[in-house]
Amino acid sequence: MRPMATRVSRLGLGTRRLFCSPASHQLRRFSSDHAPGQRETTVESSAVPSPVNASDNGGRTDANNNPLSKSSNHHDLASFLQYAKRTGLSQETTVFVGTHYEYTIASLLTAYGFSLNRVGGQHDFGIDLLGTWSVPTAERPLRVIVQCKAIQSTRPHLIRELEGAFVGAPVGWRGSEVFGVLVASKTATKGTRDALARSRWPLVFIACSREGKVQQLLWNHRAEQEGLQGLGVAMRHSPEGGEQQLVLMHKGKHLPLVKREGFPLASSDVEQPDEAAESSTDRKDKSA
């Protein structure tokens, strides 16, 4: 066998082939236009300074101790649409597009175990959503800060902006065991994936269209160390012939997508609230 330093691995990704040197730091990757279960390895070299605590910019919290939206005019997608209609806010404005996307993401990601509230405002260091992510690989919900990019192309500078957002995190979202999540309407470029892999912060990238279809889910080695070890992703086919959906996997099984009222999912991939709660308990017992 040739030495590790000289070996080269080859992964077939759709019609393309990626050549990369094996490294200890890997980027967990899945995209809906690639075959399920494939992994892309990326060299991780540079480091990012340790998190810095900042002054509190939090406020009111909900029952789960997540900061509530700073807007008094709307608190979810339905109320925002009513507000936009009432005030004549054009759907072509960046304010409408950005806010609509943030509420869409907050609602959609509930199906994947996230509990998020919109907190965007002035001096927010780019943080659009705050909350937690419940996964069977972690003993307790993971705290997350989320940035949403509805229009921008996914370039490496967005990863640097996400790293900077840790500085502005409110009380409860500082220090260790806090994940940064970048959600964009376009899939990640190679430069973005490389920047994600190099980061020393636990980071997650999600590509979700403005229409609400999750297309890609990636996380870096640090995120795996902080609580995502053993978690996977795959595409699930609908028995009724509907569109494929990206789902999380644990111990070889699909994790059920949790339905949220007002944001329907494909019927074959949805677990009703009671069933989802039972499945969540089962997963916790098995992962203990």
Side-chain angles (χ1 to χ4, degrees):
M1 179 179 294
R2 285 178 290 178
M4 178 66 72
T6 62
R7 283 192 294 153
V8 176
S9 63
R10 183 174 67 182
L11 299 176
L13 299 178
T15 58
R16 301 176 298 160
R17 289 191 181 275
L18 171 70
F19 292 85
C20 56
S21 300
S24 59
H25 298 286
Q26 299 177 337
L27 180 65
R28 295 292 185 179
R29 179 169 188 246
F30 186 82
S31 175
S32 60
D33 58 353
H34 296 148
Q38 291 183 323
R39 180 188 303 173
E40 177 177 343
T41 56
T42 311
V43 177
E44 181 173 343
S45 56
S46 63
V48 176
S50 300
V52 179
N53 288 341
S55 59
D56 179 23
N57 68 345
R60 298 175 300 145
T61 59
D62 64 8
N64 296 320
N65 203 34
N66 295 332
L68 295 174
S69 172
K70 294 180 180 179
S71 173
S72 59
N73 298 311
H74 44 81
H75 60 277
D76 58 14
L77 184 57
S79 61
F80 171 68
L81 292 175
Q82 293 174 355
Y83 167 78
K85 182 177 180 179
R86 185 171 65 252
T87 60
L89 180 63
S90 172
Q91 297 185 13
E92 304 300 321
T93 63
T94 56
V95 172
F96 181 94
V97 173
T99 305
H100 187 285
Y101 189 67
E102 291 164 11
Y103 279 132
T104 297
I105 295 305
S107 183
L108 176 68
L109 292 186
T110 300
Y112 295 89
F114 287 85
S115 177
L116 302 169
N117 281 313
R118 180 176 178 271
V119 294
Q122 292 184 340
H123 312 298
D124 60 5
F125 287 82
I127 299 174
D128 299 309
L129 308 171
L130 276 175
T132 59
W133 186 16
S134 297
V135 291
T137 54
E139 295 181 356
R140 53 184 178 273
L142 305 171
R143 295 170 295 167
V144 296
I145 59 176
V146 184
Q147 289 188 336
C148 299
K149 305 297 181 182
I151 302 175
Q152 297 184 44
S153 59
T154 55
R155 300 296 181 183
H157 74 276
L158 295 182
I159 299 299
R160 294 191 293 271
E161 289 181 11
L162 179 59
E163 291 171 337
F166 283 90
V167 176
V171 171
W173 279 264
R174 301 176 185 172
S176 61
E177 298 184 353
V178 177
F179 284 60
V181 181
L182 175 62
V183 186
S185 59
K186 300 177 177 62
T187 56
T189 63
K190 182 182 183 302
T192 303
R193 299 195 303 269
D194 290 345
L196 184 70
R198 286 194 301 267
S199 180
R200 296 296 296 272
W201 301 71
L203 301 182
V204 178
F205 177 89
I206 301 173
C208 180
S209 69
R210 287 164 58 180
E211 293 72 33
K213 179 178 175 59
V214 178
Q215 301 168 303
Q216 190 180 49
L217 177 58
L218 309 85
W219 57 81
N220 61 6
H221 182 66
R222 178 65 183 275
E224 187 172 86
Q225 291 179 319
E226 293 285 342
L228 301 186
Q229 178 72 41
L231 199 66
V233 285
M235 291 299 290
R236 183 175 180 178
H237 294 268
S238 168
E240 291 89 1
E243 291 187 354
Q244 293 182 334
Q245 281 190 310
L246 189 149
V247 295
L248 293 172
M249 296 190 66
H250 182 235
K251 296 184 177 179
K253 295 183 179 180
H254 295 135
L255 300 185
L257 297 179
V258 182
K259 182 178 180 180
R260 178 167 180 171
E261 186 176 355
F263 206 99
L265 298 166
S267 59
S268 63
D269 291 327
V270 170
E271 291 285 350
Q272 298 302 325
D274 291 341
E275 297 176 67
E278 181 178 353
S279 298
S280 176
T281 302
D282 292 341
R283 291 195 303 272
K284 182 176 180 181
D285 292 338
K286 292 178 181 178
S287 63

